[in-house]
Structures are given as C-alpha cells and as structure tokens.
C-alpha cells in the first residue's frame, strides 16, 4: 500500500462530546500519519451536519490527505478501528453501527425498484464479514479514499427532498444521499459487520441488546 496520510475528522459542531467517546478516541491505535480535523465555519455561520461534513472533506483536500475517517462523537470505538477499516483496501467502507433508539437495528439498506430502501435481513449481516449495501449511515464511522470526492460533484453531503408522487415526499439524509451519488459514480459501499461501534445513549446499543429487543417485542425487519 502506498504512503497513507489520514484525516481523522470529527463532525462535531455543538461544542461538547461524551467522555466515553474521548476515552475510546484517546486509546485508539493510529498506525498511519494522521491529522486531526473539526469543522470550520465563518463566524455566525448557521452550520448544519451537511456543512460540517463538507467542511471536513475540504480540509482533508487542503492537507493533501489520501484518506479521511469520519467518526461521529456520540459513539465508542474499538481500539483497532482504523487498522481494521484500512485492511479492507476499499474506497468506501464503514463499521457496523446500530441506531440508539428502537428498533436498534443497524442502518444497512438496499434500494427497491420504487426508489425506497429496505433494511437487509438480520441473518445476512449477522454472518459477519464485509457486506455490500446500497445505502447506510456511512459517515457514522466511515473510511473514504479521497479520490472518491474527486469523482463526486460538490456538495458531497446534502439533505434533499424526494417527491414520491403528487401528494407524498420523503427526506433523504446526507448519508444516504452521499451513497446514491457514490453509486452513480461507480463506487461500491461496504460495511465490516464484524467491526461493531457502540452507539451511545444511556448505554451502548450493540447486537446483543438488539437481539434482546427483538425477542421482547417480536420486531420484524422494517422498511423505510
């Protein structure tokens, strides 16, 4: 593998982070040349999450980074997160992250012919390994080769309104919209289902908790 310069980018624009995140970030193995980044905005700029993510990518370009790792700060990370993601040598790859509210599922989506998304079956991601998806919360813990952003038009991240018919619409978040743009540019999106990141609430949402929730509620894989 050629020389790596990694941007470790935290899309934090609210002024505080959970101490559990900071503990995991401090002890995380960082085996490559890396640069720490946070969003930068003009004074009084009404920043959104879209703005934060776009700012981080622009900073990574300015720093001449080869890769960028986006890490949401409401999560707790395994110590070998960076090495695990890098080992796959994929342009776009992320760790498995569960929702922190019911039904606590990992956001791993496939697109139907009608353009809407359905969650992949539990038995598929529970097998572990790399799973290809059409869309996911790719930036929760996502590693990107910077060449990806050279081949996708700006803004890379944007929340959009999608009209379903004359009376109905849906909102496509910045993560899912990025996945659509990436696929349009010819990229595949992978999730390392063995690399579990704990999504912090009052406790960590993990596969074990999700299994208990499903057993208690008889929850089925739902469509979105």
């Amino acid at each position: 593998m050629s020389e790596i310069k990694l941007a470790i980018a935290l899309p934090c624009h609210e002024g505080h982070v959970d101490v559990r995140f900071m503990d995991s970030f401090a002890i995380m193995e960082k085996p490559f040349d890396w640069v720490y980044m946070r969003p930068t905005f003009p004074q009084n700029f009404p920043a959104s999450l879209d703005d934060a993510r776009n700012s981080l990518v622009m900073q990574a370009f300015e720093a001449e980074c080869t890769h960028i790792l986006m890490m949401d700060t409401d999560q707790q990370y395994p110590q070998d997160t960076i090495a695990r993601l890098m080992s796959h040598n994929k342009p776009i790859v992320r760790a498995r992250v569960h929702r922190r509210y019911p039904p606590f599922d990992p956001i791993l989506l496939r697109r139907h012919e009608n353009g809407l998304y359905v969650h992949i079956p539990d038995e598929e991601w529970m097998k572990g390994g790399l799973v290809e998806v059409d869309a996911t919360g790719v930036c929760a813990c996502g590693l990107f080769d910077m060449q990806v952003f050279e081949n996708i038009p700006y803004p890379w991240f944007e929340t959009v309104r999608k009209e379903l018919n004359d009376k109905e619409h849906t909102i496509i978040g910045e993560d899912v919209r990025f996945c659509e743009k990436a696929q349009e540019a010819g990229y595949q999106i992978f999730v390392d289902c063995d690399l579990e990141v704990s999504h912090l609430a009052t406790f960590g949402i993990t596969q074990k908790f999700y299994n208990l929730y499903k057993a208690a509620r008889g929850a089925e894989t739902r469509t979105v």
Side-chain angles (χ1 to χ4, degrees):
M1 184 180 291
S2 59
E3 186 175 350
I4 299 296
K5 184 176 182 181
L6 176 65
I8 299 181
L10 311 184
C12 177
H13 59 290
E14 297 179 348
H16 63 276
V17 298
D18 192 296
V19 67
R20 292 170 291 179
F21 160 78
M22 283 305 304
D23 287 343
S24 69
F25 180 76
I27 66 173
M28 184 181 294
E29 298 168 357
K30 304 176 180 71
F32 302 96
D33 180 19
W34 64 283
V35 183
Y36 170 76
M37 294 179 179
R38 286 179 53 199
T40 56
F41 307 107
Q43 188 175 6
N44 299 322
F45 186 78
S48 67
L49 190 53
D50 300 13
D51 298 321
R53 299 202 191 283
N54 287 320
S55 169
L56 291 167
V57 174
M58 287 188 283
Q59 289 181 64
F61 273 125
E62 291 169 0
E64 298 183 341
C65 293
T66 62
H67 295 74
I68 183 170
L69 172 65
M70 288 203 187
M71 300 171 54
D72 283 359
T73 57
D74 61 346
Q75 297 174 164
Q76 193 169 16
Y77 295 84
Q79 193 168 352
D80 63 347
T81 295
I82 295 174
R84 285 282 302 274
L85 291 175
M86 278 289 189
S87 71
H88 298 301
N89 196 27
K90 299 289 187 184
I92 305 172
V93 62
R94 68 161 291 204
R96 174 166 54 85
V97 181
H98 288 250
R99 297 180 197 267
R100 61 178 176 181
Y101 52 83
F104 304 114
D105 50 340
I107 307 172
L108 308 177
L109 307 173
R110 294 226 169 86
R111 186 166 46 243
H112 273 185
E113 292 180 358
N114 61 7
L116 298 180
Y117 291 90
V118 61
H119 289 255
I120 70 172
D122 285 352
E123 54 268 23
E124 184 174 350
W125 63 262
M126 286 182 179
K127 292 178 181 178
L130 278 183
V131 173
E132 185 178 356
V133 298
D134 289 325
T136 181
V138 71
C139 290
C141 176
L143 176 69
F144 308 84
D145 188 309
M146 287 301 296
Q147 290 183 352
V148 171
F149 299 100
E150 294 177 358
N151 296 316
I152 296 176
Y154 181 89
W156 305 289
F157 299 98
E158 58 178 341
T159 299
V160 298
R161 173 183 169 122
K162 182 176 182 179
E163 302 298 332
L164 301 177
N165 51 50
D166 292 340
K167 297 182 180 180
E168 297 179 300
H169 73 276
T170 187
I171 300 298
I172 305 296
E174 88 288 347
D175 274 335
V176 172
R177 182 63 187 130
F178 171 83
C179 291
E180 292 178 341
K181 291 183 178 183
Q183 286 192 317
E184 290 165 5
Y187 289 102
Q188 297 171 285
I189 301 157
F190 292 94
V191 178
D192 182 341
C193 292
D194 293 318
L195 179 57
E196 182 176 73
V197 170
S198 180
H199 204 168
L200 298 173
T202 53
F203 46 84
I205 303 300
T206 63
Q207 181 179 339
K208 181 178 180 180
F209 184 91
Y210 175 59
N211 290 342
L212 291 171
Y213 172 82
K214 285 189 67 179
R217 296 288 303 271
E220 299 291 337
T221 301
R222 67 191 187 89
T223 59
V224 294

